Amino acid sequence: MPYLALSGALLAIANASAPVVADSTAIFERVQLTDELAVTSFGIIEDSRCASERFCFDDNRLVVAAVVHYRGQDREVALAMGQPLRLDGGTLTLTGTTTPASSKGAIRLKRYRLDLEFQPNG
């Protein structure tokens, strides 16, 4: 039995450091990632993603304006896709979007869906 208790404890520790993922989050939607961390995106700072694979001279970046609600404090941040933001308890990353890039101009905010990931320190 001690082996089962130990492996259960190890499993709990392994799960505690597993990433928390929120897929298809809408702009202005508050997503609660942990008991202490929530994120509300409220705008697009830059969307220069390429709409086609052919000749593309854009920066191929997506930067989202968001408020990070962490341990009772709110902080406005710019989340660039693929670039982790360090927090005391881990890192927050905008990992992607299900909204396709547009070659025809601006995309309405209500069409954006964002994928976020929080990786706790472990």
Side-chain angles (χ1 to χ4, degrees), residues 6-36:
L6 178 59
S7 53
L10 290 176
L11 181 60
I13 291 169
N15 287 338
S17 62
V20 179
V21 177
D23 291 329
S24 295
T25 303
I27 300 285
F28 302 115
E29 178 184 352
R30 181 182 173 124
V31 59
Q32 194 76 37
L33 294 168
T34 70
D35 291 342
E36 298 179 323

Side-chain angles (χ1 to χ4, degrees), residues 40 42 65-69 74-79 85:
T40 306
F42 64 90
V67 176
V68 173
H69 316 277
D74 295 342
R75 188 171 106 199
E76 288 186 23
V77 297
L79 292 173
L85 174 69

Side-chain angles (χ1 to χ4, degrees), residues 68-91:
V68 173
H69 316 277
Y70 186 63
R71 294 184 176 167
Q73 296 182 2
D74 295 342
R75 188 171 106 199
E76 288 186 23
V77 297
L79 292 173
M81 190 163 56
Q83 297 179 0
L85 174 69
R86 290 184 181 268
L87 302 172
D88 287 341
T91 56

